[in-house]
Amino acid sequence: MNISKNIKKLVGRFQSNLQRKKIIAQREPFDIELLKLINELKPRSAAGKTAFIDCTWENPHFWYRTSLLAAALNVKFEESVAYMGYFRHHEISKTLATLGIPRKKFHKKLMPPAKDVAELAKQLIANTTSPDDIANWKLPFDFPATVFYDTLLKAQKTGFVDHKKDGFSELLETCLQSLFATRRALESEPADVVICSHNIGEVAAPLAWHGLQLNKDVYVLYGDFGGQRFQKVNSVETFLRSIAPPSRSELDNCSSQQQDNLVRNGQAYLQERFAGQAGDIASSLAYTGENNDEQYQELLDACGWQDGKPIISIYMQNWFDFPHSLGLERFRDFHDWIEATFDVIKDQTNANWLIRPHPLDERYGVSEQDSVRAMVKALNLPHIQSCPQHINSMTVIKKSTGIITACGSIGLEATCHEIPVLVAEKAWYGEHGFVIEPGSREGYLSTLRQEWWTKIDTAQAKTFAERYSGFYFGYPDWQKGLIHQDDSIQFGLYPGLLRLMDEARTQIKTEVETLRAWCQSSSTQYHTFKNLNAGDYVHASMSNSLLTK
């Protein structure tokens, strides 16, 4: 047995080394092209800025995004500093050397000894009786407790933060150490700009927060759905939201031509999304497999239901994927939301309630005992059942009388099939007129007791949802061809990025010019800024990327 284990370890190490060499071989030409791109596109006359660069998240897209911003702001790399995280120091150092960033600070070296935060951790735990207490902790530097809560939640990979779980005190100490280390790092640096990969997590979130408190220009280089969605963190509100969408008034004030183009763009995007061809990882998992009446019968049989009774489908979100960054305000976390929901619908036998777990749960490591399936099983009620994993989301949408979500993208997707949707949170689209948004926790729980699905104009809602989709999942038409692959591809992104930097140079030049204008504007959301200034649009599906040609 030991011999077999040792052989597996050796094989694994050999494969890992091969992969590392392959990545390094691709990385070197990529880094060189980034430097060429920056030198070509940065302004010649503008005064340069020094930057404090968060290098704790390792992904080719981060370095590409950093290069775009560096070109827009004319960042002086030779006077900037890189903040190194826990991993991949050797590889990152090679990139820094190519870009000409000489100075590095190491997070781990700046972390105070655990004993220095042990008393604070002990006091916090002693005053904690429930997860709600954790979400309201008073923390050093006034760091928002909900963001801290999300970091602990992500580490525990459960539905709620459990302060009695083994290893919690050590986890808490590490997070406190990071809070102090990042403050120490930034206070000792005169950098003009703080460049963060995210505004969530153990290291990136404190960096963004401290940058805000120290009156630095903070940029979060968020990217999703094939493009750049950078944010300026210049207030507590902008810090707290990773998804910061356009407002209802911004879309209402678009010209009639813009609105028509947005609706068309939204329709085209959603058609590809429903076919599992949009390019983002969640939709590719949700919309796979067959969608037919046979699958619907399989669903009924699995749940022990007869056709004819209303089916209200509740779409879950991943327990621990930083729920407060999505705009969660009325519920502590998604576990609190579904627990409160179950408490109401357990007596609502006028409908069958189908619980659909998030498609990324298995990938993210949600255990069976911590899953929503386990909660449904414990209820043991015939009118509340879990959706079998193999059932296509389109089958569920088309056979549902109504759909409920906290704040998931299903709110858009189902509405575009004229299925009524109830949301628990305002979040990132609740104000846009295509879902029932009750306005409060109490309003949501009260609405659950009603036949709310009869109270919405689904045709009008569909148009609003298409318009919003065209904007949120869209880009200015000049970006056609420059649609990026998903971050989750990680180091497999190198070939595509190299090709884009070669073949989509014109679009990248426009991107940098638009970024520069945004940096000089009062707008905090780059994606919103560039779409409001566009006349026509392309959607985020990979069919609009030259990488598919």
Side-chain angles (χ1 to χ4, degrees):
M1 179 68 81
N2 287 335
I3 293 175
S4 175
K5 284 184 177 179
N6 287 335
I7 291 173
K8 285 183 179 179
K9 284 182 180 179
L10 286 171
V11 171
R13 195 175 302 157
F14 176 74
Q15 291 175 332
S16 178
N17 287 335
L18 279 179
Q19 180 69 8
R20 186 178 183 185
K21 288 179 181 178
K22 182 180 178 181
I23 289 171
I24 290 174
Q26 293 178 322
R27 185 179 193 129
E28 290 175 355
F30 172 69
D31 292 343
I32 291 169
E33 288 304 314
L34 287 181
L35 184 60
K36 289 180 181 177
L37 186 75
I38 295 167
N39 288 334
E40 176 188 329
L41 299 180
K42 68 181 182 181
R44 298 289 172 240
S45 57
K49 294 180 180 289
T50 58
F52 184 101
I53 305 171
D54 163 26
C55 301
T56 59
W57 183 66
E58 245 290 84
N59 187 289
H61 271 163
F62 173 70
W63 293 108
Y64 173 78
R65 291 166 190 159
T66 298
S67 299
L68 295 179
L69 187 66
L73 292 176
N74 194 22
V75 170
K76 296 187 289 186
F77 278 154
E78 68 277 7
E79 296 179 32
S80 297
V81 62
Y83 195 64
M84 308 289 276
Y86 294 116
F87 310 109
R88 302 186 66 82
H89 292 176
H90 176 72
E91 292 87 343
I92 294 171
S93 293
K94 284 183 173 294
T95 295
L96 296 174
T98 301
L99 296 179
I101 304 173
R103 292 195 301 126
K104 292 176 281 188
K105 289 197 170 188
F106 292 86
H107 178 68
K108 204 164 185 178
K109 290 181 180 180
L110 291 172
M111 293 172 77
K115 63 181 178 61
D116 289 2
V117 299
E119 186 58 35
L120 175 57
K122 190 182 297 184
Q123 289 174 4
L124 288 169
I125 293 173
N127 294 325
T128 298
T129 60
S130 72
D132 297 280
D133 294 330
I134 299 172
N136 289 286
W137 275 348
K138 300 299 180 185
L139 295 166
F141 313 111
D142 295 321
F143 190 76
T146 53
V147 180
F148 205 76
Y149 183 94
D150 283 359
T151 300
L152 298 170
L153 188 68
K154 184 75 169 180
Q156 287 194 331
K157 292 190 175 184
T158 50
F160 57 89
V161 177
D162 184 358
H163 68 287
K164 297 179 181 179
K165 196 170 185 177
D166 288 346
F168 181 77
S169 61
E170 291 81 5
L171 170 61
L172 175 54
E173 287 174 5
T174 299
C175 291
L176 290 171
Q177 287 174 287
S178 289
L179 192 55
F180 284 102
T182 48
R183 183 67 169 215
R184 182 180 173 189
L186 272 177
E187 281 184 330
S188 63
E189 281 300 325
D192 304 311
V193 174
V194 179
I195 298 175
C196 296
S197 60
H198 301 83
N199 53 351
I200 53 177
E202 177 199 333
V203 181
L207 280 176
W209 179 254
H210 295 319
L212 171 64
Q213 287 198 323
L214 295 170
N215 296 314
K216 297 182 183 293
D217 292 337
V218 181
Y219 292 91
V220 176
L221 305 193
Y222 178 58
D224 206 358
F225 301 108
Q228 316 316 325
R229 292 161 187 258
F230 299 176
Q231 293 175 264
K232 297 174 192 168
V233 175
N234 59 9
S235 67
V236 174
E237 182 183 3
T238 52
F239 170 76
L240 290 175
R241 297 291 292 273
S242 284
I243 295 182
S247 67
R248 173 74 179 269
S249 62
E250 284 174 324
L251 292 195
D252 286 347
N253 289 331
C254 286
S255 69
S256 58
Q257 185 62 57
Q258 280 179 305
Q259 295 202 37
D260 288 345
N261 290 340
L262 286 171
V263 170
R264 173 191 49 75
N265 196 49
Q267 290 170 341
Y269 171 76
L270 289 164
Q271 184 176 353
E272 296 205 23
R273 186 173 179 85
F274 295 142
Q277 298 169 359
D280 65 289
I281 187 170
S283 67
S284 65
L285 291 172
Y287 296 104
T288 56
E290 296 296 323
N291 165 35
N292 51 42
D293 288 338
E294 287 183 12
Q295 196 175 70
Y296 174 54
Q297 189 59 51
E298 289 177 35
L299 171 62
L300 292 176
D301 293 343
C303 294
W305 295 338
Q306 297 295 318
D307 192 17
K309 198 173 187 180
I311 293 178
I312 307 301
S313 297
I314 301 179
Y315 271 64
M316 296 299 300
Q317 292 175 252
N318 181 258
W319 286 140
F320 44 78
D321 199 16
F322 302 98
H324 291 95
S325 71
L326 303 176
L328 212 65
E329 295 176 349
R330 300 165 189 167
F331 296 87
R332 182 195 65 230
D333 45 43
F334 293 130
H335 190 279
D336 178 33
W337 161 62
I338 197 63
E339 199 171 49
T341 300
F342 284 156
D343 196 47
V344 173
I345 67 172
K346 66 184 181 183
D347 299 320
Q348 304 300 307
T349 57
N350 58 320
N352 286 324
W353 303 81
L354 182 69
I355 315 303
R356 183 174 173 83
H358 193 273
L360 287 175
D361 278 355
E362 186 174 341
R363 180 187 178 93
Y364 285 167
V366 177
S367 68
E368 185 61 30
Q369 68 181 26
D370 291 324
S371 69
V372 70
R373 294 181 190 279
M375 296 178 71
V376 172
K377 189 174 182 180
L379 285 173
N380 193 29
L381 295 171
H383 68 294
I384 304 175
Q385 296 292 321
S386 294
C387 181
Q389 286 181 310
H390 72 282
I391 300 295
N392 187 307
S393 186
M394 188 56 65
T395 298
V396 177
I397 290 172
K398 289 187 172 181
K399 297 300 183 179
S400 294
T401 307
I403 284 176
I404 298 172
T405 179
C407 52
S409 61
I410 187 64
L412 288 159
E413 296 156 3
T415 301
C416 288
H417 284 279
E418 299 193 37
I419 304 298
V421 174
L422 169 66
V423 295
E425 294 277 356
K426 177 182 175 182
W428 52 288
Y429 57 73
E431 69 168 306
H432 283 268
F434 53 84
V435 295
I436 296 175
E437 197 281 279
S440 66
R441 179 185 180 114
E442 294 72 23
Y444 165 73
L445 297 176
S446 175
T447 303
L448 278 178
R449 296 182 173 90
Q450 308 165 23
E451 291 190 353
W452 52 267
W453 52 88
T454 65
K455 302 175 182 178
I456 189 168
D457 182 340
T458 55
Q460 184 185 56
K462 179 183 178 183
T463 300
F464 283 148
E466 289 169 342
R467 181 182 75 167
Y468 184 90
S469 296
F471 193 101
Y472 189 77
F473 299 111
Y475 298 98
D477 58 351
W478 57 255
Q479 197 170 323
K480 187 174 179 63
L482 188 62
I483 303 297
H484 294 270
Q485 296 168 293
D486 195 85
D487 285 353
S488 62
I489 298 175
Q490 296 181 326
F491 300 108
L493 292 167
Y494 285 127
L497 280 169
L498 283 167
R499 186 178 168 194
L500 287 173
M501 285 192 284
D502 178 37
E503 299 179 30
R505 205 70 162 193
T506 299
Q507 296 96 313
I508 292 175
K509 182 180 180 181
T510 304
E511 181 93 89
V512 170
E513 290 170 349
T514 309
L515 260 177
R516 189 173 296 128
W518 170 69
C519 290
Q520 296 167 356
S521 77
S522 61
S523 170
T524 60
Q525 309 301 324
Y526 175 56
H527 182 252
T528 298
F529 174 83
K530 69 177 182 180
N531 273 359
L532 288 177
N533 286 286
D536 204 353
Y537 306 89
V538 294
H539 57 77
S541 171
M542 288 305 294
S543 66
N544 281 320
S545 174
L546 63 80
L547 297 179
T548 60
K549 309 305 180 187

